[in-house]
Amino acid sequence: MTFKGLFLGLVAWLLLSVSAFAEWAPSGPITLQIGFDAGGETDTLGRVIAKEMESQTGWDIVVENKPGGGGIAMFTGIAVAKPDGQTLGMGVNMPILVNLVLRGDKLPFNLESFDYLATVARAQVAIIAKSDAPFDDLQGLIEYSKSNNGALVAFDAKPQELLMKYVDGETEAGFKLVSTKSSAEAIQNLLGDHVVASFAAGAHIPYIESGDLKMIASANASRHGYAPDTQTVVEQGYEIYVDPYFFIAAPAGLPADTKAALAEALHNAINSEAARKAIVNALKTDPSDLGPDGTQNMLVEGVGNVKKLFGK
């Protein structure tokens, strides 16, 4: 190949390698709104991602907390913001999906009101028991409940309660569900023999490792990385799951280059070492970015699952 040919080839390669960052850049600060109060998991992760995104791109990223209704207040504002790429929102899918299913006709937005950019991570929700419990899986818990006039099961989120009610409706197990304020409280109730099983979303892992607790099912749609041999509730025969995802969206109507640039910038920030450490520390799981299409599909499929949780 001639020098001229090599030169032209190099130029072509460079042109193809230009990222979306070079194709689009914000004309002013990007505001990342967080649908919860400062100090919580969503806020912590959002601020780390914003910092990494700012460092990697040179863009000015401003974080604002817009709490209310589990993200409903924030997404209400996002839905009517200008789709110029400079207003983003970070929330959790489950409160949004529950509200869409229960009172979607009263909300000022629907799933088509947004352009979806990324998921940050998925909380791994487990059903656990003490290591010496006389059952090792969900079916064993069901049989135990039937034989003991009901089994006390702790939960700390409405979708968890609904999942167990769904299983109870399928099996007539007679579960007695106990509401707690957190996974940590549920685990202490379990260790103290106040309940025989509970839900947990990461806080239980050290107890699994120490041998004090065991996992009897993944409540997510897939198995957990730290417990690959433990089947999901679905695999154990009940077509229901709880998949809490942290996700980021923008007003619908973003130009294609804007959406591509934001999705790339978010993906890189989410998978940075700083964000990975924050996600592992907060959720005991790894980053999980489904990308724009995957994020939208997760929410669309989630509506159907939440309808099933509520018997609709």
Side-chain angles (χ1 to χ4, degrees):
M1 181 180 292
T2 65
F3 176 80
K4 181 179 180 181
L6 285 170
F7 177 77
L8 292 175
L10 177 60
V11 170
W13 179 82
L14 288 171
L15 288 173
L16 288 172
S17 299
V18 173
S19 74
F21 301 150
E23 298 171 13
W24 177 84
S27 59
I30 292 176
T31 299
L32 175 61
Q33 297 184 10
I34 308 294
F36 296 86
D37 285 316
E41 293 170 341
T42 314
D43 176 68
T44 298
L45 298 181
R47 289 180 183 276
V48 172
I49 290 166
K51 183 178 179 180
E52 287 299 305
M53 190 174 171
E54 188 173 67
S55 174
Q56 293 175 9
T57 63
W59 301 342
D60 184 14
I61 315 292
V62 178
V63 178
E64 292 183 354
N65 293 93
K66 297 284 186 179
I72 296 298
M74 180 203 66
F75 279 116
T76 295
I78 295 290
V80 296
K82 185 178 180 180
D84 57 4
Q86 293 181 214
T87 303
L88 311 179
M90 180 172 169
V92 181
N93 66 335
M94 292 306 296
I96 304 303
L97 294 173
V98 167
N99 276 277
L100 285 171
V101 168
L102 293 185
R103 59 187 192 97
D105 58 333
K106 295 181 175 61
L107 294 180
F109 63 80
N110 55 39
L111 289 183
E112 295 180 356
S113 301
F114 309 102
D115 277 348
Y116 301 98
L117 300 171
T119 55
V120 175
R122 183 191 69 163
Q124 298 188 106
V125 183
I127 304 175
I128 56 175
K130 287 184 70 173
S131 58
D132 60 357
F135 50 84
D136 297 311
D137 54 20
L138 185 56
Q139 189 58 41
L141 174 60
I142 292 166
E143 295 304 322
Y144 175 90
S145 186
K146 289 181 176 180
S147 301
N148 290 273
N149 194 32
L152 292 169
V153 181
F155 68 92
D156 70 333
K158 187 67 174 180
Q160 299 167 7
E161 179 188 21
L162 294 173
L163 184 148
M164 291 308 291
K165 285 185 175 180
Y166 178 91
V167 174
D168 194 59
E170 294 282 303
T171 62
E172 297 183 351
F175 295 131
K176 298 176 180 178
L177 304 178
V178 179
S179 177
T180 62
K181 295 180 180 179
S182 67
S183 288
E185 182 183 341
I187 289 171
Q188 291 308 310
N189 282 340
L190 182 58
L191 293 171
D193 293 323
H194 302 299
V195 298
V196 299
S198 78
F199 284 84
H204 64 291
I205 295 176
Y207 297 95
I208 298 287
E209 294 172 345
S210 67
D212 294 305
L213 300 177
K214 61 185 174 182
M215 182 171 161
I216 64 172
S218 161
N220 296 94
S222 59
R223 299 187 188 189
H224 297 182
Y226 62 86
D229 296 329
T230 303
Q231 292 184 326
T232 65
V233 171
V234 173
E235 289 175 317
Q236 296 188 48
Y238 306 94
E239 293 293 326
I240 202 72
Y241 62 87
V242 175
D243 250 355
Y245 270 97
F246 295 78
F247 73 101
I248 298 173
L254 291 178
D257 60 341
T258 304
K259 184 175 181 179
L262 289 169
E264 181 181 353
L266 285 166
H267 179 80
N268 292 339
I270 290 164
N271 287 283
S272 68
E273 184 60 22
R276 189 195 71 80
K277 287 181 179 179
I279 292 166
V280 170
N281 182 60
L283 303 175
K284 303 298 186 289
T285 189
D286 291 319
S288 177
D289 179 18
L290 299 176
D293 291 343
T295 303
Q296 182 170 354
N297 290 339
M298 174 272 293
L299 287 159
V300 171
E301 293 173 2
V303 167
N305 181 65
V306 170
K307 285 182 178 179
K308 189 179 294 185
L309 281 171
F310 282 97
K312 292 182 175 291

